[in-house]
């Protein structure tokens, strides 16, 4: 069984079977409480799927893009859980789950996914969806809303379903694809400027 | 699990050190630290976002390294403890997220503990011979904290006597180093150049040490005024075109910090009738602070304890040790929904108590 975790927007945890069946998927939309809810979500997702921690054969982490503080919590949790069980950590772009969801609901053709990056900016990714399969063709990137280029349909998502992320990973495992060694997708440098030296205190 | 000597893995990410330690009761098995200090150097201080990013990169490898150093496998871990505060919020959250998931993956209890009390907990690992007796006064001095505690019982009776009302002592070292053109972190640099200086060359102010401060701030510290006094003194010299006697300034500044820290700490020992003083925190590495502590404690008949440096700076072993003490005391695990709390009060030794 795959345990999937994503905190790129809200918090979500899910258990997905190797065949891609979503056995449980739980989410909290609050974007300010990732550290509080992450433990209970994992515990409850496992319980709802009727498995223990030892039933997990791989952990899937949504690597963003997402606002820094929350994003890190899910990745840290996924990293630690995978270590604890001695199972692989599979890293995916969180937007891929949004595109897969759209494909699953019958969407076809070009798709632009956007999510809130805070500070009046958006994260975006572009997909081509054919035969129910979404393939990322550009992104993820970061833009101000006025500069977001829309190709085909546009989904401005407010949640990422870890169940969908787990299903993508399950399909990838079945197809033998290589999972990328992604780092957290912040897409921004830390806000900081090097020190200009000490300021005078006397005038 | 053996409740008297549980194997606890502790995770510490409250500032710029990713620490994972493993203990068996009061026995230290592993203490692995990955520091992002070098990444902060060009900014002259810890940048929270830089620190948090570094924690995420380091957390997996540091856990793996600690387990290897202990000669154990993760299956041998009886409980997971983590610093849930006080500290930098975004940095704490990395450790809290990892610790919750690690505990769940291993099917073991989870304990969220107080970083400052963890510094006191470090002593049980270092104690050769007799364990720490309570009550004890504890002086914790680092880049983020300057706190004076009265610890009657490490698991449930810790009182905050006083703390800094502005800069932490470690911050003052960094800022004065910058004034003197010395690199970050300032503590070791000041210590190095002060070795050749005269600590009585310049009488810098001792913050909150006047008679009028004794009512409200007897055990509180202030280092902001001291830093400004050093800056004024140096600027005056430079403006007059005179050379700055860096060694004397550094030695006199260091003396002012050491003097005020130990005067207040030993006042606390005297006032409370507690003849024991424990030092902790990275600033305790400072040679003058250690020497003066030995000198003044001996003169006052106070037993002084200073854990080894690797346990004085932020580390996961002290968090594991505190977790083990909580288990030994029969405490139930913390609630899995416990938040990271950047201002967790020192009276809350364990966060998220059921």
């Amino acid at each position: 069984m795959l345990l999937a975790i994503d905190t790129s927007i809200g918090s979500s945890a899910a258990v997905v079977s190797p065949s891609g069946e979503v056995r449980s998927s739980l989410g909290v939309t609050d974007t300010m409480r990732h550290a509080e809810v992450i433990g209970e979500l994992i515990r409850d997702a496992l319980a709802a799927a009727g498995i223990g921690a030892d039933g997990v054969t791989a952990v899937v982490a949504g690597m963003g893009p997402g606002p820094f503080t929350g994003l890190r919590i899910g990745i840290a949790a996924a990293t630690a859980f995978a270590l604890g069980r001695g199972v692989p950590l599979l890293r995916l772009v969180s937007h891929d789950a949004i595109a897969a969801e759209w494909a699953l609901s019958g969407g076809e053709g070009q798709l632009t996914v956007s999510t809130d990056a805070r500070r009046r900016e958006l994260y975006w990714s572009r997909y081509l969806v054919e035969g129910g399969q979404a393939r990322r063709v550009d992104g993820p990137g970061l833009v101000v809303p006025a500069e977001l280029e829309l190709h085909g349909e546009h989904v401005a998502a407010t949640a990422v379903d870890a169940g969908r992320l787990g299903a993508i990973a399950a399909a990838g495992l079945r197809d033998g694809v290589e999972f990328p060694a992604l780092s957290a997708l912040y897409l921004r440098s830390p806000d900081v400027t090097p020190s200009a030296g000490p300021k005078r205190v006397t005038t | 699990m053996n409740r008297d000597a549980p194997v606890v893995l502790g995770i510490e990410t409250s500032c710029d050190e990713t620490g994972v330690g493993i203990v068996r009761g009061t026995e230290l098995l592993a203490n692995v630290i990955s520091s992002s200090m070098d990444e902060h150097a060009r900014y002259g201080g810890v940048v929270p976002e830089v620190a948090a990013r570094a924690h995420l990169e380091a957390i997996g490898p540091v856990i793996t390294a600690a387990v290897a150093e202990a000669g154990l496998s993760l299956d041998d871990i009886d409980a997971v403890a983590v610093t849930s505060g006080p500290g930098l919020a975004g940095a704490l959250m990395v450790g809290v997220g990892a610790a919750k998931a690690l505990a769940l993956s291993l099917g073991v209890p989870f304990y969220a503990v107080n970083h400052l009390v963890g510094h006191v907990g470090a002593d049980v690992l270092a104690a050769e011979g007799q364990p720490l007796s309570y009550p004890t006064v504890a002086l914790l001095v680092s880049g983020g904290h300057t706190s004076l505690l009265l610890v009657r019982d490490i698991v449930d009776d810790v009182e905050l006597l006083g703390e800094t009302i502005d800069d932490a002592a470690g911050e003052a070292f960094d800022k004065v180093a910058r004034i003197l053109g010395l690199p970050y972190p300032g503590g070791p640099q000041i210590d190095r150049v002060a070795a050749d200086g005269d600590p009585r060359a310049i009488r810098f102010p001792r913050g909150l040490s006047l008679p009028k401060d004794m009512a409200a701030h007897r055990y509180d510290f202030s280092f902001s005024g001291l830093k400004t006094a050093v800056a004024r003194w140096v600027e005056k010299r430079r403006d007059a075109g005179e050379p700055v006697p860096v060694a004397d300034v550094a030695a006199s500044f260091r003396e002012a910090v050491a003097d005020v820290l130990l005067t207040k700490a030993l006042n606390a020992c005297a006032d409370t009738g507690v003849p024991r003083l424990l030092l902790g925190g990275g600033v305790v590495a400072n040679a003058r602070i250690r020497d003066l502590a030995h000198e003044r404690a001996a003169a006052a008949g106070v037993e002084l304890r200073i854990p080894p440096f690797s346990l004085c700076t932020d580390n996961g072993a002290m968090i594991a040790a505190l977790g083990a003490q909580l288990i030994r005391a029969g405490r139930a695990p913390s609630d899995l929904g416990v938040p990271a709390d950047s201002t967790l009060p020192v009276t809350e030794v364990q966060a998220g108590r059921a």
Side-chain angles (χ1 to χ4, degrees):
Chain A
M1 291 289 177
L2 283 73
L3 169 67
I5 299 170
D6 190 283
T7 56
S8 63
I9 306 178
S11 303
S12 179
V15 173
V16 177
S17 76
S19 65
E21 187 193 338
V22 178
R23 295 292 175 85
S24 68
S25 180
L26 302 172
V28 171
T29 54
D30 194 327
T31 57
M32 300 297 288
R33 285 171 43 83
H34 306 91
E36 286 87 332
V37 302
I38 191 69
E40 289 155 338
L41 275 178
I42 294 170
R43 180 193 64 194
D44 295 350
L46 292 173
I51 65 166
D54 56 358
V56 174
T57 53
V59 180
V60 184
M63 301 301 287
F68 326 144
T69 308
L71 175 64
R72 273 190 287 269
I73 294 162
I75 299 172
T79 302
F81 198 103
L83 269 180
R85 295 288 3 133
V87 300
L89 176 67
L90 312 174
R91 301 172 175 90
L92 293 177
V93 174
S94 300
H95 281 180
D96 291 3
I98 298 164
E101 188 84 50
W102 189 73
L104 199 69
S105 64
E108 279 282 318
Q110 292 191 85
L111 171 71
T112 301
V113 167
S114 68
T115 53
D116 184 10
R118 299 188 188 165
R119 303 182 192 177
R120 302 196 189 113
E121 289 186 305
L122 295 172
Y123 292 121
W124 62 268
S125 297
R126 265 190 281 286
Y127 294 83
L128 189 59
V129 180
E130 291 172 315
Q133 296 294 313
R135 183 165 57 88
R136 186 160 23 87
V137 292
D138 201 1
L142 179 72
V143 289
V144 294
E147 288 170 16
L148 178 65
E149 289 177 39
L150 293 177
H151 299 263
E153 296 289 319
H154 176 210
V155 172
T158 55
V160 171
D161 175 11
R164 209 35 54 210
L165 210 58
I168 296 169
L173 286 176
R174 290 198 303 278
D175 297 344
V177 302
E178 198 153 314
F179 286 82
L182 289 173
S183 293
L185 296 163
Y186 303 116
L187 308 187
R188 279 192 192 114
S189 297
D191 281 338
V192 63
T193 45
S195 163
K199 288 193 211 75
R200 280 189 67 91
V201 297
T202 47
T203 49
Chain B
M1 135 172 54
N2 175 350
R3 286 204 161 266
D4 282 331
V7 178
V8 181
L9 181 145
I11 298 177
E12 154 64 41
T13 63
S14 69
C15 191
D16 62 341
E17 253 116 12
T18 312
V20 176
I22 301 174
V23 304
R24 181 184 283 116
T26 58
E27 181 193 353
L28 177 65
L29 301 182
N31 185 17
V32 177
I33 292 164
S34 167
S35 175
S36 59
M37 185 189 289
D38 294 346
E39 295 173 55
H40 305 287
R42 67 198 181 105
Y43 306 116
V46 174
V47 181
E49 178 62 20
V50 172
R53 289 184 183 199
H55 286 309
L56 183 61
E57 298 301 316
I59 191 73
V62 174
I63 292 173
T64 302
V67 172
E69 187 174 299
L72 299 174
S73 84
L74 277 165
D75 292 338
D76 299 317
I77 303 298
D78 292 325
V80 175
V82 66
T83 299
S84 70
L88 303 171
L92 288 168
M93 287 180 197
V94 175
V96 168
K100 287 178 178 180
L102 185 63
L104 284 168
S105 75
L106 299 173
V108 300
F110 161 79
Y111 288 84
V113 309
N114 188 299
H115 172 80
L116 287 173
V117 184
H119 275 295
V120 180
D123 181 83
V124 302
L125 300 173
E128 283 165 10
Q130 76 281 38
L132 179 65
S133 303
Y134 296 106
T136 184
V137 172
L139 174 66
L140 309 178
V141 196
S142 70
H145 306 281
T146 308
S147 306
L148 198 52
L149 314 181
L150 176 57
V151 184
R152 295 189 192 85
D153 183 326
I154 194 167
V155 299
D156 63 17
D157 193 352
V158 181
E159 182 186 340
L160 179 69
L161 296 175
E163 62 188 337
T164 181
I165 62 167
D166 41 53
D167 293 347
E171 260 178 297
F173 274 94
D174 292 337
K175 289 175 176 174
V176 167
R178 199 165 3 153
I179 291 165
L180 295 175
L182 301 170
Y184 174 89
Q189 299 292 334
I190 296 274
D191 228 14
R192 181 175 58 80
V193 301
D196 301 323
D198 175 4
R200 286 169 304 276
I202 310 150
R203 174 78 191 180
F204 287 125
R206 273 62 169 162
L208 300 180
S209 294
L210 297 172
K212 69 178 170 67
D213 299 318
M214 289 301 110
H217 296 293
R218 184 168 178 79
Y219 305 125
D220 288 331
F221 302 94
S222 168
F223 296 105
S224 176
L226 170 59
K227 170 210 66 187
T228 305
V230 174
R232 282 177 185 279
W233 196 93
V234 169
E235 284 171 15
K236 205 170 149 193
R237 279 292 180 111
R238 285 187 182 139
D239 291 348
E242 294 169 26
V244 175
V246 172
D248 285 350
V249 174
S252 300
F253 160 75
R254 185 178 68 163
E255 191 67 13
V257 176
D259 181 25
V260 76
L261 286 172
L262 290 155
T263 299
K264 290 189 176 236
L266 287 161
N267 279 349
C269 290
D271 298 347
T272 56
V274 171
R276 283 172 291 274
L277 175 62
L278 170 71
L279 301 190
V283 175
V284 170
N286 190 283
R288 181 59 189 153
I289 291 173
R290 297 171 83 99
D291 289 349
L292 195 63
H294 282 294
E295 199 179 292
R296 298 252 186 108
V302 166
E303 180 197 348
L304 179 70
R305 296 177 78 116
I306 311 179
F309 185 58
S310 62
L311 293 171
C312 275
T313 49
D314 290 350
N315 68 85
M318 68 186 194
I319 300 306
L322 181 53
Q325 295 290 312
L326 290 166
I327 291 167
R328 179 182 279 188
R331 283 290 188 80
S334 295
D335 185 279
L336 205 50
V338 70
D341 182 349
S342 59
T343 60
L344 186 70
V346 77
T347 44
E348 218 171 310
V349 176
Q350 179 188 358
R353 282 185 75 181

